[in-house]
Amino acid sequence: MTSPEAGTRGISGQTLATGRTGAKRAGAAGGTLGTAARLRVAIPSVADRVATELRLQLAEGLLLPGARLTESTISEELGVSRNTVREAFAELAAERLVVRHPNRGVFVASLGPGDIHDVYTVRRFIEVSAIRGGGSPERVAAVRAAVEEGRAAAAVDDEEALGSANQHFHGAIVALAESRRLNTIMAQVLAEMRLFFHKATVDAHFYRSYLDDNEEICKALEAGELDRAGELLLAYLDRSEEKQSTVHGD
Amino acid sequence: MTSPEAGTRGISGQTLATGRTGAKRAGAAGGTLGTAARLRVAIPSVADRVATELRLQLAEGLLLPGARLTESTISEELGVSRNTVREAFAELAAERLVVRHPNRGVFVASLGPGDIHDVYTVRRFIEVSAIRGGGSPERVAAVRAAVEEGRAAAAVDDEEALGSANQHFHGAIVALAESRRLNTIMAQVLAEMRLFFHKATVDAHFYRSYLDDNEEICKALEAGELDRAGELLLAYLDRSEEKQSTVHGD
DNA sequence: ATCGAAGGATTGTTGAACAATCCGTAGATT
DNA sequence: AATCTACGGATTGTTCAACAATCCTTCGAT
């Protein structure tokens, strides 16, 4: 409470606080905006930004599964009130990224063996259905782009980028369906997966192997051989699940 | 605003407040619970209970799409603080049941034509995949039970129960997959659908017609003709979407 | 070594406060 | 009349301070 900038975990250093607090700033209501159309892009609330910040830290592996998130700590580090942090927690909990243990605190979600299988079940359902439905040329091109992105990452031996590219690939497959809800669901599932990716990185060997898988799946998609693409994808998911299960879980 | 029990919307009348407020109750820390195993079922927080209450009112059609949810009103009606209501809102917003308009308030979500299509897209992906994967005899029995539930409702001309039974039927289909996440996703999607069911009830004629559809789908499932069950289900979903689109939508 | 009480830390929840923003309305302008 | 605009009330967004309940750790007693 003495010096605000003393963050112990790796926060940007800057505070997230707005200028709307309880007793600062002399009022100076200025320009009217005229009768223009309603603002289309609203600035997100502080709670949303806290949630986003945490989501980022989760994705980056700065916050590992099982880690405890103390309200007061985050509140101080980000320069926001505890209540606001709580609102952000409610968001993240709804996304399964954190877990609430009543009266004990919130913790970064950690996936057990059952969860890994569950996540892959969701992916099998959604991704395979999506690819079998095909998509517009633009969407297919996006899948192709993700394949190339992976290649490029492999060329410079960037593990991190390789993982991202793979996620983009699978995200692009779901995006074929042009469904806002499915995209959201997939984004959440991928976020969950990133969580345990950071616990133990799968060996580079395996990462390379699915570059070829992706290429083949993409080729089938481009050729309009949707059923075959679906089967290839399904086989990949099964293999991937097995790999992840043996690396993590018991 | 004068008398607390004067709820204008149909709340239960009872308050949701706990006994943990700011300045009541003389401390009397009593019995120790021994070194028993950690409590397995924790009582949900007030925020969760507010969210549940609102979810219920949403499902019952007490709160129609587009309706505004004022923080202070709900806060008073339920006897909880505004901050707690806000936490509940964060939960519901993450579930898409309400929408936040920054600085304007939260409103009951209302699905436009695009949303209806989107919801059905999700259902087609998940339900069809689920039924094509089959399930344990118990799970199949649950599907059968939902069919009979619908029949019973039709026998006594209970529209409301008929709708519920149909939702149970489709929920049971997804449950075949034994996936916690898919069940949650499906539950959320069904909750979204309940939202606009209350806007305009589809004619009873149509409701009856899908009793037979369900029966046929269930029979195919029981017979292990999974592909056929999938096709029947898909056809049903397409028809249902078209029906809903013409009734609602533009 | 085990048990249980004492203490400190943290969560859960409240109430009050206030800036910013929105919205309806009434008065001023063209 | 049709606006534009300034004013004011209502509501949201956010903070702060307070405190009961609960959890966790430590420490002393049996």
Side-chain angles (χ1 to χ4, degrees), chain A residues 17 44 50 58 85 126 134 150 162 166-167 194:
Chain A
V50 170
L58 254 10
V85 172
I126 294 181
L162 225 161
N166 196 44
Q167 296 225 341
R194 275 195 292 271

Side-chain angles (χ1 to χ4, degrees), chain B residues 10 53-63 160 194 198:
Chain B
E53 172 64 34
L54 292 176
R55 247 180 245 117
L56 243 47
Q57 296 194 17
L58 254 11
E60 286 169 15
L62 257 110
L63 263 26
E160 197 69 24
R194 275 194 292 271
H198 293 293

Side-chain angles (χ1 to χ4, degrees), chain B residues 20-21 45-46 80-81 83-84 103-104:
Chain B
R20 212 189 217 170
T21 179
S45 72
V46 175
V80 303
S81 87
N83 279 319
T84 302
N103 288 316
R104 301 190 9 75

Side-chain angles (χ1 to χ4, degrees), chain A residues 181-194:
Chain A
R181 281 170 183 74
L182 284 172
N183 286 338
T184 306
I185 292 168
M186 185 64 180
Q188 274 175 212
V189 167
L190 290 179
E192 278 193 88
M193 295 201 64
R194 275 195 292 271

Side-chain angles (χ1 to χ4, degrees), chain A residues 131-215:
Chain A
I131 209 167
R132 293 188 48 173
S136 72
E138 296 82 40
R139 296 295 178 191
V140 173
V143 175
R144 165 57 62 190
V147 172
E148 303 305 336
E149 184 190 340
R151 258 197 229 300
V156 295
D157 262 332
D158 187 340
E159 289 289 325
E160 198 69 24
L162 225 161
S164 290
N166 196 44
Q167 296 225 341
H168 293 164
F169 176 73
H170 291 280
I173 286 176
V174 172
L176 289 167
E178 313 261 11
S179 159
R180 193 159 60 94
R181 281 170 183 74
L182 284 172
N183 286 338
T184 306
I185 292 168
M186 185 64 180
Q188 274 175 212
V189 167
L190 290 179
E192 278 193 88
M193 295 201 64
R194 275 195 292 271
L195 240 42
F196 69 82
F197 274 176
H198 293 292
K199 255 198 158 160
T201 308
V202 181
D203 56 301
H205 200 285
F206 183 70
Y207 270 138
R208 300 303 165 107
S209 83
Y210 62 52
L211 269 183
D212 296 329
D213 289 329
N214 291 359
E215 171 66 36

Side-chain angles (χ1 to χ4, degrees), chain B residues 39-123:
Chain B
L39 275 318
R40 301 209 50 194
V41 50
I43 85 162
S45 72
V46 175
D48 280 338
R49 291 197 287 159
V50 170
T52 302
E53 172 64 34
L54 292 176
R55 247 180 245 117
L56 243 47
Q57 296 194 17
L58 254 11
E60 286 169 15
L62 257 110
L63 263 26
L64 294 180
R68 180 174 187 176
L69 299 180
T70 311
E71 293 180 3
S72 50
T73 305
I74 295 180
S75 159
E76 284 167 27
E77 284 179 349
L78 264 44
V80 303
S81 87
R82 255 185 71 211
N83 279 319
T84 302
V85 173
R86 276 185 137 259
E87 263 185 68
F89 281 172
E91 275 185 54
L92 297 178
E95 293 169 26
R96 288 181 193 276
L97 292 181
V98 302
V99 175
R100 277 194 126 109
H101 286 229
N103 288 316
R104 301 190 9 75
V106 322
F107 300 81
V108 177
S110 93
L111 308 202
D115 290 302
I116 295 182
H117 175 64
D118 203 47
V119 164
Y120 274 96
T121 300
V122 176
R123 292 186 60 180

